[in-house]
Amino acid sequence: MPDIDKLKVSVDRDACIGDGACCSDAPETFEMDDEDKAVVKDSSTDSRETILEAAENCPTDAIVVEDRETGEKLYPTE
Ligand code: SF4
């Protein structure tokens, strides 16, 4: 099983400001909905690195990435 299948990706809609950066960074993973909020369309195509980079580049840390198996929060980390 590819590493990517182990990621659980979600977007905090209240934190998302709709700038679309994640859709540029990881276009297979995120898309904008009709309220200009990012949603996860597929978390199994972009690479793990690409998804984590998109999360790191989100200006409001609205993207949460967790390891599906261990529950470990990979981003944001504190
Ligand atoms: S990068 Fe962050 S703030 Fe921008 S659209 Fe994506 S989730 Fe929303």
Side-chain angles (χ1 to χ4, degrees):
M1 179 186 292
D3 231 19
I4 196 71
D5 290 343
K6 297 178 182 172
L7 293 185
K8 179 180 173 191
V9 186
S10 59
V11 175
D12 179 345
R13 291 182 67 81
D14 292 333
C16 176
I17 59 171
D19 69 346
C22 55
C23 300
S24 299
D25 287 344
E28 301 300 329
T29 305
F30 301 100
E31 64 184 0
M32 304 306 290
D33 68 10
D34 54 12
E35 295 178 351
D36 274 342
K37 300 285 186 179
V39 292
V40 177
K41 60 176 178 176
D42 176 10
S43 62
S44 63
T45 304
D46 284 318
S47 71
R48 183 184 183 98
E49 289 72 27
T50 295
I51 292 174
L52 284 171
E53 186 177 317
E56 289 166 13
N57 288 341
C58 173
T60 61
D61 278 350
I63 299 169
V64 178
V65 185
E66 296 167 280
D67 186 304
R68 201 177 280 280
E69 287 185 343
T70 66
E72 178 190 1
K73 190 183 268 192
L74 302 174
Y75 197 86
T77 54
E78 294 174 283

